[in-house]
Amino acid sequence: MLRPIERGIEAYRQLQGLPPLYHVRLKHQGRTLAVLSGKSEIEAYRRAERLADELLSGREGVRIEPA
């Protein structure tokens, strides 16, 4: 669910003719580490995967979910 500020950013991008951004949430053991965005769901997911690979030694307890 988008927060009011996120709806404002979404409306601004739409008015400027910019494509929408897709967001994913990187979680480790139930805690949100980062929210990443991309031009597509796949791009945002891959960014989260790369960050998880760099920050964490293993993938245990890691979840990437739509934000």
Side-chain angles (χ1 to χ4, degrees):
M1 173 175 264
L2 293 177
R3 288 182 256 162
I5 188 71
E6 292 165 330
R7 280 189 241 131
I9 293 168
E10 187 177 84
Y12 173 80
R13 289 185 62 82
Q14 188 176 31
L15 287 172
Q16 298 298 315
L18 299 170
L21 291 176
Y22 297 89
H23 299 83
V24 295
R25 185 171 281 116
L26 173 62
K27 289 187 165 191
H28 181 254
Q29 297 179 350
R31 299 181 115 170
T32 299
L33 298 179
V35 177
L36 297 108
S37 62
K39 293 179 184 178
S40 68
E41 290 179 66
I42 294 169
E43 181 182 352
Y45 187 86
R46 287 183 180 157
R47 286 181 177 185
E49 283 183 323
R50 285 194 307 268
L51 183 59
D53 289 342
E54 292 294 323
L55 292 178
L56 308 167
S57 60
R59 295 298 295 253
E60 189 173 320
V62 173
R63 283 189 6 209
I64 300 172
E65 57 188 42

